């Protein structure tokens, strides 16, 4: 499972990436919206964790492009923009989930698990989803 974390606050980006790496995901980090845009269309990722206030390219513009090119791409918005209208526009643009800062790493992990599990179920790969369940149980 490959995840791209797009977040310009480097310490936060690295913290999220290291945390998810401990959960056995392969994680790439990106501190700039335009660079993220380039990478996304070269390499496939199972999930993109996307900040909205980004240099290079705004997160919502990036989301628009992702949706136009890759309707199946899973995107979780992670943003300090916490108003109802921000959340609604993010979800309307096709984000699969929206988490506001400040947040708990445990909650982020849980949401990541849910999004990636949903993908497994959609693909109907029962053995893979069973494996994820086993992993989740081991952690308890
Ligand atoms: Ca930011």
């Amino acid at each position: 499972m490959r995840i791209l974390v797009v977040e310009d606050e480097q310490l936060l980006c690295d913290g999220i990436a290291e945390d998810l790496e401990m959960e056995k995901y392969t994680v790439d980090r990106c501190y700039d919206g335009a660079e993220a845009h380039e990478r996304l269309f070269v390499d496939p990722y199972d999930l993109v964790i996307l900040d909205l206030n980004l240099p290079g390219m705004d997160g919502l513009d990036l989301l628009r492009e992702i949706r136009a090119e890759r309707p199946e791409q899973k995107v979780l918005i992670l943003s300090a923009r916490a108003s109802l209208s921000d959340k609604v526009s993010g979800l309307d643009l096709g984000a699969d989930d929206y988490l506001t800062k400040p947040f708990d790493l445990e909650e982020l992990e849980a949401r990541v698990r849910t999004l990636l599990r949903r993908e497994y179920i959609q693909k109907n790969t029962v053995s893979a989803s069973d494996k994820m369940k086993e992993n989740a149980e081991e952690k308890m």
Side-chain angles (χ1 to χ4, degrees):
M1 293 270 112
R2 299 183 69 232
I3 301 175
L4 180 66
V5 181
V6 188
E7 167 63 69
D8 62 315
E9 289 162 54
Q10 297 204 6
L11 276 179
L12 178 60
C13 189
D14 292 345
I16 293 168
E18 281 160 20
D19 184 71
L20 292 173
E21 277 162 359
M22 293 214 294
E23 302 294 310
K24 311 288 181 222
Y25 299 107
T26 303
V27 187
D28 284 346
R29 306 160 199 205
C30 198
Y31 310 119
D32 177 277
E35 195 196 318
H37 181 255
E38 272 176 37
R39 271 215 228 170
L40 274 169
F41 297 107
V42 176
D43 258 345
Y45 288 92
D46 297 294
L47 174 67
V48 180
I49 295 176
L50 182 65
D51 180 25
L52 294 184
N53 296 322
L54 288 166
M57 185 173 191
D58 183 76
L60 285 180
D61 291 334
L62 183 53
L63 178 60
R64 241 179 238 116
E65 301 263 334
I66 292 170
R67 277 292 161 261
E69 305 269 334
R70 286 218 182 130
E72 301 300 312
Q73 177 68 61
K74 294 262 184 292
V75 179
L76 185 157
I77 292 178
L78 182 59
S79 176
R81 296 183 202 167
S83 75
L84 181 61
S85 68
D86 287 322
K87 287 184 197 171
V88 168
S89 51
L91 293 167
D92 274 349
L93 277 173
D96 297 283
D97 202 353
Y98 198 114
L99 186 57
T100 52
K101 296 175 191 170
F103 64 98
D104 236 40
L105 277 173
E106 269 182 61
E107 184 176 3
L108 177 66
E109 287 166 19
R111 289 177 185 235
V112 166
R113 275 198 298 277
T114 301
L115 286 170
L116 294 175
R117 184 159 51 221
R118 209 181 286 162
E119 182 181 25
Y120 269 131
I121 292 165
Q122 278 165 2
K123 283 179 182 166
N124 201 22
T125 52
V126 176
S127 59
S129 81
D130 284 346
K131 208 171 182 185
M132 287 198 65
K133 266 183 238 151
E134 276 168 29
N135 286 343
E137 278 159 15
E138 274 169 26
K139 271 175 227 133
M140 282 177 187

